[in-house]
Amino acid sequence: MGADDVDEFSPRTPAGRHFDQARAEAAVRELLIAVGEDPDREGLQRTPTRVANAYREMFAGLYTDPSEVLATVFEENHDELVLVKDIPMYSTCEHHLVSFHGVAHVGYIPGESGQVTGLSKLARVVDLYAKRPQVQERLTSQIADAIVERLDPRGVIVVIEAEHLCMAMRGIRKPGATTTTSAVRGLFKTSAVSRGEALDLISRT
Ligand SMILES: Nc1nc2c(ncn2[C@@H]2O[C@H](COP(=O)(O)OP(=O)(O)OP(=O)(O)O)[C@@H](O)[C@H]2O)c(=O)[nH]1
Ligand SMILES: [Zn+2]
């Protein structure tokens, strides 16, 4: 398959872009040459294929529609906080293409219709946006906005705590430094009491 040929099963982004396996493999081979390696030595022969497969997986969220992930919604007449804590999260820094990883905490208060979603769906939304080239601030906001759009809740709070390998293994080299970001919507923005209660539950071990 040539670099521009894409089979009909290649995953596509909503904008119609696709994962191009042949091109990804060629790029990895080029990178190995650029760093002074021999891509034909035995240990590296399958590396372009492996790395392309890994990137396909790491960026799988580019090809998934968030509304599909939050499709399961049901009425429970629950009008208080639902909080899923410590969701493991692996994303990729869009500046250096290395990992940033940690945990996400996602909470919401259902809207007047009392509609809730499956708990696993909150973790799926985290995954979907994490599996893209990202910055932590945008990842946090996108998760919150997707939940607002689908569930029309009274409020949403998303907190992400992560270590960026681009700050640990290279550059400033500060392993262990963590970055915390939050996105609050609705009641969690307008009410300091609601926000404080949620943050208290999130920080409790
Ligand atoms: N705000 C924000 N910054 C990030 C994130 N991930 C990486 N960065 C930062 O992006 C910045 C890119 O800075 P540049 O000066 O363009 O790149 P650089 O020369 O590689 O920078 P250093 O990492 O400081 O060596 C760095 O300060 C990173 O720490 C993120 O999720 N959010
Ligand atoms: Zn980075």
Side-chain angles (χ1 to χ4, degrees):
M1 196 160 71
D4 292 327
D5 297 332
V6 177
D7 69 74
E8 59 182 306
F9 301 111
S10 294
R12 281 176 189 276
T13 64
R17 289 190 293 271
H18 54 77
F19 187 86
D20 188 330
Q21 180 81 15
R23 201 166 198 161
E25 288 184 19
V28 176
R29 185 180 163 84
E30 273 305 300
L31 187 60
L32 286 170
I33 296 169
V35 301
E37 263 290 359
D38 169 11
D40 295 317
R41 76 173 167 82
E42 199 185 341
L44 291 178
Q45 278 171 12
R46 290 199 58 244
T47 295
T49 304
R50 291 189 195 99
V51 175
N53 288 342
Y55 272 92
R56 185 190 279 259
E57 201 178 322
M58 284 153 59
F59 295 151
L62 287 171
Y63 314 109
T64 314
D65 184 343
S67 63
E68 283 172 27
V69 164
L70 282 170
T72 306
V73 170
F74 41 95
E75 269 178 41
E76 254 320 307
N77 286 326
H78 183 83
D79 63 0
E80 290 176 80
L81 179 66
V82 180
L83 173 66
V84 181
K85 281 173 50 167
D86 297 320
I87 302 167
M89 186 283 306
Y90 286 85
S91 189
T92 304
C93 155
E94 71 181 17
H95 299 138
H96 300 95
L97 296 185
V98 293
S99 161
F100 65 96
H101 60 96
V103 290
H105 315 288
V106 179
Y108 72 101
I109 300 173
E112 274 172 26
S113 60
Q115 291 216 308
V116 300
T117 188
L119 298 175
S120 69
K121 309 304 180 192
L122 300 177
R124 285 185 186 278
V125 174
V126 171
D127 253 21
L128 183 150
Y129 287 110
K131 288 179 184 296
R132 298 176 175 197
Q134 272 292 9
V135 295
Q136 191 175 326
E137 295 90 330
R138 189 170 71 235
L139 170 60
T140 314
S141 300
Q142 284 178 331
I143 295 165
D145 291 337
I147 295 168
V148 167
E149 193 156 307
R150 184 68 183 95
L151 294 182
D152 194 21
R154 288 188 174 85
V156 175
I157 183 164
V158 179
V159 176
I160 295 181
E161 303 167 70
E163 180 180 21
H164 289 243
L165 290 194
C166 66
M167 282 180 64
M169 63 189 271
R170 58 156 296 285
I172 190 68
R173 294 194 197 179
K174 298 295 179 202
T178 58
T179 303
T180 303
T181 45
S182 70
V184 289
R185 303 288 184 264
L187 198 58
F188 293 116
K189 202 173 205 104
T190 54
S191 162
V193 173
S194 299
R195 188 169 60 248
E197 282 173 2
L199 288 173
D200 187 46
L201 285 171
I202 285 170
S203 59
R204 214 177 275 176
T205 48

